[in-house]
Amino acid sequence: MPFGIKMADEHRRTDVISYEESPAEEVISGELEKVRGVVRSQKTNIRITENDSDWLAGKENGDKEAADRFAEKFWSEKHTDELGRQIDNPENTLFISVPSSSKNNVHPVSLGEKLSGEFGGKFVAGETYFNVLHERQSKKIRPFERVFHPRVYEPLSPAELKAAVGNREVVVTDDIFTTGGSAAALIRTLDQMGISVKAVAGYFGNARLSVPPQTVSSMNKALKNAGIPVRAREVAKNLTFAEAKIVIELIKKAGSEDEKEKLTRKLQGISDR
């Protein structure tokens, strides 16, 4: 059966797909909904990420001293204060860094250590408590394809980590929130362990992780216009805000029936996570 006819048949079955607008008060992103974020700069500074010797050494070579120097010169007291306003009890906070896929990036560790020292809190390295199971580093995947490659973190010592957290509020640190997918994956894993994350902090990117209902409505509309039989809310619940916007662009760009069929399979894969 031709793909276009198949989708038309599925549109007539109300139990398969419906394109409903999301109520403004509806919670889409689950555990991400309550997480707030602070970054030094929403735009990634290419001059820094391609030329700063401390950045490159901390990112590519695991040079902790270089990463510490970068944290001192780049993170500002203003942003520490801003993060403090996102936390109910700053001095009773545990900072945990996003584990490095490459094993070489120590910037999330240096930032976490710096913030824990400034707040008088506690820091733990994500690598200590999680195995990184995804095989490919995000930087080696094209930006518009990253959304289809989930970040996977396997807990190593859940009881030990829960004991370290205790009654502390938890902040996740990363270097760049390209799409926020890595931080979101860690937050979801922590939530499954019974550990709630209060905030995230990083140097660059969009730290807004939850998908607002308006974005889900835009995805609904794009799916309807493209005739793609996938539920927007089922996709969005496994995405970040930045990832959802990427998906909307991909839906709009899908022109041929073959492209739509391939995209449908990929989106269904996101829904089934």
Side-chain angles (χ1 to χ4, degrees):
M1 179 183 297
F3 184 70
I5 295 176
K6 179 181 178 182
M7 289 199 298
D9 288 341
E10 288 179 328
H11 281 308
R12 288 194 289 267
R13 291 170 50 201
T14 57
D15 61 326
V16 173
I17 183 68
S18 61
Y19 298 101
E20 299 174 356
E21 294 297 311
S22 299
E25 71 277 6
E26 182 180 4
V27 174
I28 303 296
S29 304
E31 59 279 348
L32 301 183
E33 205 75 27
K34 59 184 177 295
V35 178
R36 301 294 177 260
V38 175
V39 290
R40 176 65 173 80
S41 172
Q42 288 198 0
K43 292 185 177 181
T44 301
N45 189 324
I46 302 300
R47 288 178 297 179
I48 290 176
T49 57
E50 293 186 355
N51 298 299
D52 186 282
S53 59
D54 285 336
W55 172 266
L56 294 172
K59 184 80 170 179
E60 305 292 343
N61 303 325
D63 188 330
K64 183 64 167 53
E65 291 183 357
D68 289 344
R69 287 195 298 270
F70 185 84
E72 287 300 321
K73 69 185 179 184
F74 192 70
W75 188 263
S76 70
E77 183 178 346
K78 169 188 172 183
H79 291 88
T80 296
D81 292 341
E82 184 180 348
L83 180 61
R85 290 192 289 272
Q86 309 293 331
I87 304 169
D88 296 328
N89 192 2
E91 63 274 12
N92 192 36
T93 302
L94 180 136
F95 295 84
I96 181 168
S97 56
V98 172
S100 170
S101 301
S102 67
K103 312 298 184 184
N104 295 323
N105 181 14
V106 291
H107 284 298
V109 173
S110 290
L111 179 59
E113 287 182 343
K114 175 178 174 60
L115 291 172
S116 67
E118 292 180 349
F119 283 110
K122 182 181 178 68
F123 170 76
V124 296
E127 289 83 356
T128 303
Y129 292 100
F130 295 93
N131 270 334
V132 178
L133 298 186
H134 43 274
E135 297 179 355
R136 298 179 65 188
Q137 302 172 39
S138 292
K139 67 180 182 179
K140 294 184 178 180
I141 304 172
R142 292 185 303 172
F144 271 42
E145 284 294 317
R146 291 176 187 174
V147 65
F148 303 117
H149 296 266
R151 311 288 90 188
V152 182
Y153 301 106
E154 178 188 42
L156 294 175
S157 304
E160 184 180 332
L161 179 56
K162 291 183 73 172
V165 172
N167 66 347
R168 295 180 174 90
E169 293 182 300
V170 177
V171 177
V172 167
T173 59
D174 205 353
D175 57 346
I176 302 178
F177 297 100
T178 305
T179 64
S182 296
L186 181 60
I187 290 168
R188 289 177 174 126
T189 303
L190 289 167
D191 186 76
Q192 292 168 4
M193 296 167 60
I195 299 173
S196 180
V197 174
K198 184 74 174 182
V200 295
Y203 294 127
F204 302 108
N206 186 354
R208 181 182 182 180
L209 300 180
S210 63
V211 182
Q214 296 87 344
T215 301
V216 181
S217 294
S218 296
M219 191 184 297
N220 273 326
K221 183 177 179 180
L223 287 167
K224 182 177 181 179
N225 290 340
I228 294 179
V230 179
R231 295 183 184 275
R233 276 172 283 183
E234 291 301 307
V235 176
K237 71 180 182 181
N238 293 318
L239 300 177
T240 65
F241 179 37
E243 289 173 333
K245 292 195 295 183
I246 288 173
V247 164
I248 291 170
E249 288 303 309
L250 290 174
I251 295 169
K252 291 179 178 179
K253 289 179 179 179
S256 69
E257 294 304 321
D258 181 61
E259 289 175 338
K260 292 177 182 179
E261 184 174 8
K262 290 179 180 178
L263 182 57
T264 298
R265 290 197 295 268
K266 289 182 175 182
L267 295 177
Q268 190 60 56
I270 294 175
S271 298
D272 294 340
R273 287 178 189 171

